[in-house]
Amino acid sequence: MNSRIYFDHSATTPLDPRVLDAMAPFLGGAFGNPSSLHREGRMAREAVEKARAQVAALISAQPEEIVFTASGTEADNLALIGAVRASGKPGHIVTSAIEHAAILETCRFLAESGAKITHLPVDAEGIVRTDSLLRALQSNVTLVSIMAANNVVGTLEPIEELAHLTKLHGVLFHSDAVQAGGKIPLDVNRLHVDLLSLSAHKLHGPKGVGALYVHKNVKLSPIIFGGGQERGLRSATENVAGIVGLGAAAEIARQELESDAVRLAQFRENIALELTRQFPNCYVFGHAVHRLPGHLSFGFRGQERELGGLLSALDAAGVAVSAGSACSAQHSGEPSPVLLAMGYDAESARGLLRLSLGRFNTEQEVERFLEILPQAVASAAHVPRNSAASALTAVAAQ
Ligand code: PLP
């Protein structure tokens, strides 16, 4: 009963032991370069291509539509910068106000080189408004990029509807599915997306490897130049062990996604019910139905400034949770831009605690968390403001 409870799977997930087993040979004896023609090289190539097929199967894509990258961030950069560069124009990106920094900062970079950026508003539950997308599509747009699931509040966006509308206007659609991959079913054909980003470490795979789905008719320009690996879209010797890990993680997720989702949604429901029962001032952020199964973001009305103390108290009691807000905002002690975009006032937007559960969490852990919580809340009230702020800063992983 002394072991820690890890409830921060939106920041990163522990490696599934089956993924580690799949990777192990490629961290040892099977060290070949997939571009080499000898037996060692051919073995590595075979492993990379198997992983490509596994990742493709997770999202119902063709293997040749998967480009391996070094992260979800890089997949997002390649999608946006690659589409704008391929268009041969300064470009116009339409995105939402609540995207991850991997999208927002890439947009900022593109704006510096002359691109127009439109940020669509969201409603109080974090859903991108279709009417605002329709209005934005009246002008010349290069690409629409909307995340599949929000990393702060867990809301799922209506990607199928938004992408369908976008396609009717002949515009490319990208979705950052880093938080959604392996947690909810994703079928690129049904969703009508042209580009979709994934990251291995969010689905019990290794850190430092991601993938971009690129529909076979989509023209992208590379953003990294060199030996022409990954069909010229991502030069560099492949991270074979990492790619094998992503492939294995995708395969396991495809098989276990449904049962994981049912179990995690039930855990989340139990925690949410208990929280609102024990603490009348507790309020839950995000959409009530359209949300990630194991994700729960909440605050306490009137105690927004004590949440950093609560995070520290939980950590000291053996539970890892997150502040779930943008890094920059927490450094400056500012309210979360995601909550502000959802219409929360500056004070309510200051405090948010994010619990994100994963495959290896158990019912006993949920029960133990609910036992620990009241004491942690009580002690949080006594934590001085400064240490609360630094606790928030320290855990601002997305
Ligand atoms: N997009 C979203 C929605 C994320 O939550 C994250 C990571 O937290 C990323 C992109 C970046 O992924 P990576 O950590 O693989 O660069």
Side-chain angles (χ1 to χ4, degrees):
M1 286 299 266
N2 289 330
S3 60
R4 291 196 43 97
I5 299 174
Y6 185 78
F7 281 174
D8 197 13
H9 291 78
S10 291
T12 196
T13 58
L15 205 58
D16 189 305
R18 295 166 288 181
V19 172
L20 184 57
D21 285 348
M23 291 172 69
F26 300 94
L27 293 164
F31 58 85
N33 182 328
S35 298
S36 300
L37 298 178
H38 44 62
R39 188 191 299 174
E40 287 81 355
R42 290 197 309 273
M43 262 184 74
R45 169 59 54 202
E46 220 171 88
V48 167
E49 296 314 317
K50 178 180 170 194
R52 201 184 303 282
Q54 289 169 315
V55 174
L58 178 66
I59 55 171
S60 304
Q62 298 301 313
E64 59 275 17
E65 294 174 314
I66 301 298
V67 177
F68 289 116
T69 64
S71 61
T73 300
E74 191 192 309
D76 286 345
N77 274 254
L78 175 57
L80 271 56
I81 303 172
V84 168
R85 290 193 63 240
S87 76
K89 300 190 186 118
H92 177 189
I93 305 269
V94 173
T95 189
S96 83
I98 60 165
E99 298 293 316
H100 187 269
I103 294 292
L104 295 177
E105 290 304 311
T106 304
C107 287
R108 199 195 300 267
F109 166 78
L110 285 167
E112 280 167 11
S113 10
K116 182 178 168 193
I117 311 294
T118 303
H119 293 100
L120 302 178
V122 295
D123 67 16
E125 292 171 310
I127 303 262
V128 171
R129 300 177 54 125
T130 317
D131 55 341
S132 62
L133 174 62
L134 256 180
R135 265 196 305 281
L137 285 168
Q138 302 314 311
S139 57
N140 214 345
V141 177
T142 315
L143 173 122
V144 174
S145 178
I146 306 291
M147 67 200 326
N150 180 265
N151 49 302
V152 177
V153 293
T155 296
L156 303 182
E157 297 299 339
I159 296 302
E160 186 173 349
E161 196 185 335
L162 298 171
H164 183 62
L165 260 182
T166 303
K167 302 310 297 170
L168 287 178
H169 288 75
V171 174
L172 288 178
F173 192 94
H174 166 254
S175 185
D176 174 346
V178 166
Q179 288 292 343
K183 295 180 194 149
I184 57 163
L186 293 171
D187 174 335
V188 289
N189 305 304
R190 198 174 56 76
L191 293 175
H192 313 289
V193 296
D194 297 296
L195 299 152
L196 181 136
S197 305
L198 295 169
S199 176
H201 77 102
K202 307 287 189 185
L203 54 143
H204 299 283
K207 292 168 186 58
V209 57
L212 182 66
Y213 157 77
V214 185
H215 184 280
K216 56 182 181 300
N217 296 338
V218 170
K219 294 254 168 314
L220 275 195
S221 294
I223 58 171
I224 291 177
F225 305 92
Q229 289 91 342
E230 296 297 289
R231 292 188 290 115
L233 279 174
R234 208 286 176 171
S235 287
T237 302
E238 296 87 342
N239 168 8
V240 179
I243 288 170
V244 166
L246 171 55
E251 170 93 38
I252 296 166
R254 189 167 63 84
Q255 289 165 3
E256 301 184 1
L257 183 149
E258 234 176 88
S259 54
D260 280 352
V262 170
R263 207 167 39 84
L264 296 181
Q266 189 60 58
F267 289 168
R268 179 209 185 267
E269 230 30 58
N270 294 350
I271 298 174
L273 272 176
E274 200 50 33
L275 266 174
T276 42
R277 196 186 63 78
Q278 282 189 27
F279 307 99
N281 64 336
C282 175
Y283 53 111
V284 172
F285 296 108
H287 200 281
V289 180
H290 301 299
R291 60 169 190 239
L292 288 171
H295 184 124
L296 177 65
S297 292
F298 61 94
F300 295 107
R301 195 165 284 109
Q303 285 177 278
E304 287 83 0
R305 288 164 194 262
E306 288 159 22
L307 284 170
L310 177 53
L311 191 145
S312 302
L314 285 170
D315 190 29
V319 187
V321 303
S322 164
S325 301
C327 311
S328 53
Q330 294 309 332
H331 281 297
S332 57
E334 291 295 312
S336 153
V338 171
L339 295 184
L340 287 178
M342 287 164 63
Y344 286 89
D345 61 61
E347 196 55 25
S348 312
R350 209 175 285 281
L352 158 72
L353 225 59
R354 178 183 72 182
L355 308 185
S356 45
L357 281 64
R359 183 176 296 148
F360 303 113
N361 287 136
T362 63
E363 201 172 336
Q364 289 71 26
E365 287 178 327
V366 171
E367 282 165 11
R368 193 145 61 91
F369 168 74
L370 291 172
E371 282 163 22
I372 290 170
L373 189 66
Q375 180 58 41
V377 172
S379 63
H382 307 299
V383 175
R385 276 270 305 281
N386 282 350
S387 65
S390 61
L392 284 170
T393 305
V395 293
Q398 298 276 298

